[in-house]
Amino acid sequence: MEKRELGKSGLVTSKMGFGCMGLNYHRGVAKDRNEMIKVVHEAIDAGITMFDTAAVYGPYTNEELVGDALVGYRDKVQIATKGGFKIDGLNNELDSRPESLRKQLEDSLKRLKTDYIDLYYIHRVDPNVPIEDVAMAMKQFKKEGLIKHWGLSEAGVETIRRAHKVEPLAAVEYEYSMWWREIEKDVLPVLEELGIGLVAYSPLGRGFLTGKLDKNTTFGENDNRADLPRFTKETMAANQVVIDYINELAIAKNATAAQIALAWVMAQKPWIVPIPGTTKISRIHENIKAANIKFSDEEMKTINDALSKIEIVGDRYPESEKRRTGN
């Protein structure tokens, strides 16, 4: 698979990464652990090198799974994980105090069975801790060799600027897809200006943009989509219009809807890396083919203009989570 540099950070990774959360968290009843490890190995064999996890996924169990899966492959991959939460069951509170981040990072290293993290994110910005203090902590962690690069997840532009000024950010992680384009207004221009990469999570709209979900889909235990406003029967029915349009594009390109959605993200900027996740080996091979789909400038303009005219119904997060985004 082709490689990409995240901004001007020097962090070079595969053009497409792998979001590990759904391997055993927030996407239904967890599947057989050994089978999920095989999925990770298949992704590596397919040329994917960036694997994204977080302490809060599980909590902890996702990092443990990824750590076990990457034993013997450490020199071939980049591990991205996230901290910044005081984990207490379901009542996780933000905690980016430098002394707390050190303990969180040390614990993540143990679970991931490694002595360094390639890309360590602050999962959500803690309003009670100056971002400059966080950046200084990251600078120290880099000096000690505990991390190679650092980033922010769901941070606002002023926070990004302030953090980057103290210790350069390699990447910002944000949701970005054909049905969530809000960051094009202010975040993407700032990232381009500062030379920071974007890691795009949920590039397939948590599965919706594959065209495999509709108003009749139900979500069971351990699937957070049941609580997301965009996944009610009414909103999925209303948003079917975007699937219909993607399917038209897929026919024209002799591709699947998922491939079109991923190719679109990668075509936006050469410093954007999407991280779709899956529990199925067949989906890995489907997804990576998206890296070969090309759009001309004229095609991209036509697609973006068409998407701009489609009204997407429903927020991506409930109010309880929205307060933790864009600080």
Side-chain angles (χ1 to χ4, degrees):
M1 183 182 291
E2 293 178 40
K3 302 290 186 180
R4 283 193 163 181
E5 181 180 2
L6 284 168
K8 298 176 182 177
S9 66
L11 178 53
V12 177
T13 185
S14 50
K15 189 175 181 180
M16 182 188 306
F18 191 97
C20 298
M21 182 190 78
L23 291 172
N24 64 356
Y25 181 66
H26 266 353
R27 286 297 177 267
V29 177
K31 295 181 172 62
D32 180 80
R33 197 172 192 277
N34 290 330
E35 290 302 314
M36 295 304 95
I37 288 175
K38 289 180 182 178
V39 169
V40 173
H41 292 170
E42 191 71 22
I44 297 171
D45 291 342
I48 293 173
T49 65
M50 173 67 78
F51 292 84
D52 182 278
T53 180
V56 79
Y57 299 161
Y60 309 133
T61 57
N62 199 251
E63 282 189 329
E64 291 168 351
L65 172 64
V66 172
D68 286 344
L70 296 182
V71 169
Y73 295 90
R74 188 66 184 93
D75 60 339
K76 299 179 180 179
V77 302
Q78 296 94 27
I79 296 176
T81 193
K82 298 178 279 292
F85 277 111
K86 179 181 179 181
I87 297 174
D88 180 20
L90 299 177
N91 300 312
N92 301 323
E93 294 298 326
L94 298 169
D95 186 359
S96 286
R97 294 170 299 149
E99 64 273 23
S100 178
L101 288 175
R102 178 175 290 277
K103 177 66 164 58
Q104 293 175 48
L105 173 57
E106 290 172 349
D107 289 346
S108 286
L109 289 168
K110 292 175 184 176
R111 288 188 292 269
L112 288 161
K113 294 181 169 60
T114 184
D115 54 6
Y116 69 93
I117 302 297
D118 297 275
L119 179 53
Y120 191 72
Y121 295 102
I122 300 302
H123 206 151
R124 291 291 187 271
V125 176
D126 185 345
N128 297 315
V129 180
I131 198 63
E132 290 82 2
D133 292 354
V134 175
M136 285 300 296
M138 294 299 152
K139 186 173 187 175
Q140 181 61 32
F141 297 158
K142 287 172 69 174
K143 187 180 296 184
E144 295 176 27
L146 299 176
I147 66 174
K148 289 190 173 183
H149 304 271
W150 84 291
L152 296 170
S153 179
E154 294 276 348
V157 293
E158 289 309 312
T159 298
I160 292 169
R161 287 187 182 280
R162 288 167 53 200
H164 189 71
K165 189 174 182 179
V166 175
E167 180 63 22
L169 293 158
V172 169
E173 186 169 282
Y174 245 107
E175 181 170 352
Y176 187 46
S177 71
M178 295 178 87
W179 80 336
W180 184 260
R181 300 174 60 197
E182 292 299 311
I183 62 171
E184 292 177 358
K185 298 175 183 177
D186 52 6
V187 175
L188 290 189
V190 168
L191 298 187
E192 188 153 43
E193 173 195 338
L194 299 177
I196 301 170
L198 174 74
V199 174
Y201 76 83
S202 295
L204 295 175
R206 296 178 174 82
F208 186 76
L209 301 183
T210 66
K212 305 298 182 184
L213 307 177
D214 59 30
K215 63 181 180 180
N216 297 314
T217 302
T218 58
F219 303 103
E221 181 184 353
N222 189 35
D223 195 324
N224 74 327
R225 290 174 293 187
D227 300 319
L228 302 181
R230 286 199 175 181
F231 288 90
T232 66
K233 293 183 182 298
E234 294 77 15
T235 54
M236 284 198 288
N239 290 327
Q240 182 62 38
V241 61
V242 72
I243 298 300
D244 294 341
Y245 179 61
I246 293 172
N247 282 333
E248 290 178 15
L249 298 173
I251 291 171
K253 289 288 186 180
N254 191 29
T256 66
Q259 289 167 347
I260 292 297
L262 291 171
W264 178 88
V265 172
M266 289 182 282
Q268 295 298 317
K269 299 290 181 180
W271 37 265
I272 295 177
V273 174
I275 51 168
T278 185
T279 59
K280 299 177 181 178
I281 287 175
S282 62
R283 295 292 183 218
I284 293 172
H285 296 291
E286 176 183 352
N287 291 347
I288 62 172
K289 290 178 182 177
N292 299 321
I293 296 175
K294 307 296 182 184
F295 296 109
S296 67
D297 291 343
E298 184 178 352
E299 284 176 320
M300 285 302 293
K301 184 179 186 309
T302 299
I303 293 169
N304 288 341
D305 287 348
L307 290 173
S308 296
K309 294 173 183 175
I310 297 174
E311 182 180 356
I312 303 298
V313 179
D315 288 334
R316 61 185 181 132
Y317 284 124
E319 289 298 324
S320 60
E321 181 62 19
K322 282 168 66 177
R323 67 184 174 86
R324 288 175 167 169
T325 61
N327 293 308

